[in-house]
Amino acid sequence: MASTGMQIFGFVLALLGIMGAMVATLLPNWKVSADVGSNIITAISQMQGLWMDCTWYSTGMFSCTLKYSVLSLPAYLQTARTTMVLCCVLAAMGLCLASLGLKCTRWGGGRRSKRHAAIASGGCFVAAGFLCLVPASWFTNEVITNFLDSSVPESNKFEPGGAVYVAFVSAGFLFVGGSIFCMSCSGKRHGPQDLVLLPPPDKLLLQQQQQQLLQQQQQELQHQYCSLSPLDNKTGYSLQDYV
């Protein structure tokens, strides 16, 4: 089984992956204009994201426009929105389960419960990585296809932006983190499946001393009771004593 250090390493990678996925979802630079001219009254840089389009002007002005209509968006953009949101949700669920499945934590139940939590968190991370990889790949393919199309004007050609690369890296982090958590539950099982976490040594010693003291008291009471004579156990008078 994977060591505790490997699990912590996988948890850190998954945490970086979900942070990167959230940042990539919100960034407006999924694609950036390649060249839109040098006229002073035209824009010098255009960026398009999943939720808004932003424009830099040569005068130094910066403006963004939100995409309110969902049905007017192309299919790849609608898919990217949906899958990236699902990716963040699944990754967040995976983090909650991973915190229970870590060997270095005291919560989460016994060994068997921790194994199940680790497997579930690994599955969530791998699924989230897949959901993050699909929109990034599809979006990149659409941008490159449009860029290589000779019928598209030069002013309407775009290149993949920084958010796409962040999505690719985040997907890799989620894949690796999920794989580590899944591998942490493979291999032979030793000992009982459900082990109760022991208390600290000082508390365990105190409990043992209390049990020994209780056993000694019970033995003393039993010895005293057995040493009593039958006459001592009588609590009343007998009629034969007066005859």
Side-chain angles (χ1 to χ4, degrees):
M1 298 178 69
S3 62
T4 305
M6 287 298 295
Q7 275 195 335
I8 296 176
F9 179 67
F11 185 84
V12 172
L13 288 180
L15 183 61
L16 293 176
I18 184 177
M19 292 175 61
M22 294 176 63
V23 170
T25 304
L26 299 176
L27 282 178
N29 59 337
W30 277 70
K31 60 180 180 179
V32 183
S33 60
D35 186 11
V36 293
S38 59
N39 192 345
I40 193 171
I41 63 174
T42 61
I44 61 173
S45 179
Q46 291 181 345
M47 297 179 296
Q48 295 185 10
L50 302 181
W51 312 97
M52 65 179 67
D53 297 337
C54 297
T55 305
W56 281 97
Y57 293 96
S58 58
T59 57
M61 297 180 60
F62 179 79
S63 64
C64 293
T65 304
L66 294 176
K67 299 177 180 179
Y68 293 103
S69 178
V70 178
L71 299 178
S72 62
L73 299 176
Y76 72 93
L77 193 55
Q78 296 181 15
T79 305
R81 280 185 171 187
T82 305
T83 52
M84 289 302 295
V85 172
L86 290 177
C87 168
C88 296
V89 173
L90 272 178
M93 292 176 57
L95 284 179
C96 296
L97 293 173
S99 62
L100 299 176
L102 286 173
K103 300 177 183 178
C104 60
T105 58
R106 299 188 61 84
W107 56 80
R111 180 179 297 177
R112 187 175 183 180
S113 301
K114 283 184 173 293
R115 290 182 68 255
H116 291 170
I119 291 175
S121 63
C124 289
F125 290 147
V126 172
F130 178 76
L131 290 175
C132 186
L133 183 63
V134 168
S137 303
W138 193 357
F139 203 97
T140 303
N141 180 68
E142 290 290 335
V143 172
I144 294 177
T145 302
N146 184 74
F147 183 85
L148 298 178
D149 190 356
S150 58
S151 62
V152 177
E154 294 291 335
S155 59
N156 293 335
K157 290 187 176 182
F158 292 86
E159 296 177 348
V164 176
Y165 302 110
V166 174
F168 277 120
V169 175
S170 302
F173 284 158
L174 290 171
F175 274 127
V176 176
S179 301
I180 291 176
F181 271 93
C182 290
M183 289 188 300
S184 67
C185 300
S186 61
K188 298 181 180 180
R189 301 183 225 176
H190 302 280
Q193 298 301 317
D194 287 313
L195 295 179
V196 180
L197 295 178
L198 296 176
D202 52 348
K203 292 185 178 180
L204 183 61
L205 181 61
L206 181 61
Q207 291 178 359
Q208 292 177 352
Q209 292 177 353
Q210 291 177 352
Q211 291 178 358
Q212 292 177 358
L213 181 61
L214 182 61
Q215 290 177 358
Q216 291 178 359
Q217 292 177 355
Q218 291 177 352
Q219 291 176 358
E220 291 177 358
L221 290 175
Q222 187 177 4
H223 179 71
Q224 292 176 2
Y225 179 79
C226 295
S227 62
L228 294 176
S229 62
L231 295 176
D232 294 336
N233 293 331
K234 294 181 179 181
T235 57
Y237 297 98
S238 176
L239 183 61
Q240 296 179 357
D241 295 336
Y242 300 94
V243 177

